[in-house]
Amino acid sequence: MIRPVAHIGAMAPYALVRMVAPPGKRLISLAQNESLHPPSPMSIAAAEAAARNQTYPDPDWAALRGAIAEVQGLAPDMILCGAGSLDLIAAIARVYSGPGRAVLIPKHAYPFFRSAAQMSGARVDTAHERDGCVCVDALLDAIRPDTSILFLANPANPTGTHIPAAEIRRLHAALRDDILLVIDEAYGEYTDANEPSLFDLATAPNTVILRTFSKAYSLASARVGWGIFPPKIAAEIRKVLNPNNVAATSQAAAEAAIQDQRYMRQTVTETSALSRKTQSRLRRANVPVLESATNFLLLPFCDVATADQIHANLVAEGIFLRPQHGAGLPHALRMTLGRPDHVALATERIIALHQRAIEGTA
């Protein structure tokens, strides 16, 4: 019998929501944190033009890196691109963790951080959070002699919470120089207007900052992530990235998307307004919801049974949210701030189901 290596065989598959609407129901997907808008028209046109090309994509992502660098004020040679941020996260774990090393993450961190560490054979350590927020002091207390990577998402997924840039800088200053700090800013565009940039931290030899085109730029289907890497780290990561890892159509779509900053900012503005409106409606109805700096909301119900009951009833109506068992929050559901009419419908059903659960009539 052919057997996998032990640390892979011990892993559970990475869980995604299986979304199939019941017969007679329309599917309302609020589980994947996709944008409420389609991609920029400029992005769509660029992808269509690139689809006519029969050659392999640029392995150095030159035009895309140049566009990112120009918009963000970065040096192009510090930028690496991947097939989504997951591609880069997995590569980082493969290079800088493994057997005999430990990866540190917040207790309710993005589950793929754990998966990437496990794929490398590393031990995963966690640090407690406070009220759904990353705690810098807890992270520092959880560092061990064999800690090699600290993965941190800010704003965080699945909680949606955000800690100030000053706290990240305090964490960075306190880390040993042999620990790689990876700051995943997948939702960074939602806080850029209110927070000073941390991009300068990647000029240090032990810090990487990641971003994606999947959220604010509406390109989840294109799978394009990027990051700022110190030169020595970038050289090592390139060794394990698949050649031609980002399709030509995706590179073209992302290049056009980042050049259309007006469209992205409008998406962020409308999403943030929908977030405030939805949070207010839920709180008025006494439905628990965390303050969010992202394009989703986390609803931490009073117990697991209530969350499971509400989720089952929503699914029966074709409405899919994301249960958070994998992030250590089995009593919580995450709702994407997608199409406003879908969000409004889901919100009213959640309110009604929550009230029924409280009254014991569900």
Side-chain angles (χ1 to χ4, degrees), residues 59-61 64-65 68 75-84 87-88 91-92 208-211 213 224-239 241 245-246:
D60 290 319
W61 331 281
L64 175 56
R65 287 202 295 169
I68 294 170
D77 60 1
M78 292 188 68
I79 297 170
L80 297 183
C81 298
D87 192 22
L88 298 172
I92 291 166
V208 168
I209 298 176
L210 303 177
R211 290 224 170 177
F213 285 91
V224 188
W226 63 277
I228 314 169
F229 291 76
K232 290 185 178 179
I233 292 176
E236 299 301 323
I237 296 298
R238 273 187 173 272
K239 295 176 184 178
L241 286 177
N245 61 340
V246 183

Side-chain angles (χ1 to χ4, degrees), residues 284-304:
R284 289 199 309 272
N286 297 315
V287 176
V289 57
L290 295 188
E291 191 72 30
S292 177
T294 64
N295 71 338
F296 62 84
L297 301 177
L298 188 74
L299 313 179
F301 296 103
C302 60
D303 53 41
V304 178

Side-chain angles (χ1 to χ4, degrees), residues 20 51-52 76 100 105 107 123 136 149 160-161 183 190 232 247 273 291 300 306 317:
V20 179
R52 302 187 186 99
I105 61 176
K107 184 176 181 180
R123 187 181 79 250
V136 167
I149 301 175
T161 55
I183 307 168
Y190 290 94
K232 290 185 178 179
E291 191 72 30
T306 299
E317 298 181 38

Side-chain angles (χ1 to χ4, degrees), residues 187-232:
Y187 301 91
E189 286 80 10
Y190 290 94
T191 58
D192 278 346
N194 303 312
E195 277 287 312
S197 172
L198 292 170
F199 287 171
D200 63 290
L201 289 183
T203 60
N206 67 334
T207 305
V208 168
I209 298 176
L210 303 177
R211 290 224 170 177
T212 184
F213 285 91
S214 295
K215 309 306 179 184
Y217 289 99
S218 309
L219 288 176
S221 65
R223 311 305 303 126
V224 188
W226 63 277
I228 314 169
F229 291 76
K232 290 185 178 179

Side-chain angles (χ1 to χ4, degrees), residues 232-316:
K232 290 185 178 179
I233 292 176
E236 299 301 323
I237 296 298
R238 273 187 173 272
K239 295 176 184 178
V240 301
L241 286 177
N242 293 329
N244 309 118
N245 61 340
V246 183
T249 50
S250 296
Q251 290 190 41
E255 179 188 352
I258 202 164
Q259 291 170 336
D260 194 353
Q261 287 290 296
R262 180 178 179 181
Y263 188 90
M264 182 275 289
R265 285 194 291 268
Q266 184 62 30
T267 298
V268 168
T269 297
E270 291 184 22
T271 304
S272 298
L274 179 60
S275 179
R276 292 190 295 271
K277 177 181 178 180
T278 307
Q279 288 183 62
S280 176
R281 177 70 183 106
L282 290 167
R283 291 194 179 102
R284 289 199 309 272
N286 297 315
V287 176
V289 57
L290 295 188
E291 191 72 30
S292 177
T294 64
N295 71 338
F296 62 84
L297 301 177
L298 188 74
L299 313 179
F301 296 103
C302 60
D303 53 41
V304 178
T306 299
D308 287 348
Q309 185 179 69
I310 290 173
H311 179 248
N313 279 279
L314 290 171
V315 168

Side-chain angles (χ1 to χ4, degrees), residues 104-107 127-142 150 152 161 163 167 170-171:
L104 176 60
I105 61 176
K107 184 176 181 180
H128 75 80
E129 300 184 26
R130 293 177 181 169
D131 301 321
C133 287
V134 169
C135 175
V136 167
D137 290 325
L139 286 168
L140 292 172
D141 288 344
L150 196 168
L152 169 69
T161 55
I163 60 173
E167 280 293 275
R170 182 167 74 88
L171 172 66

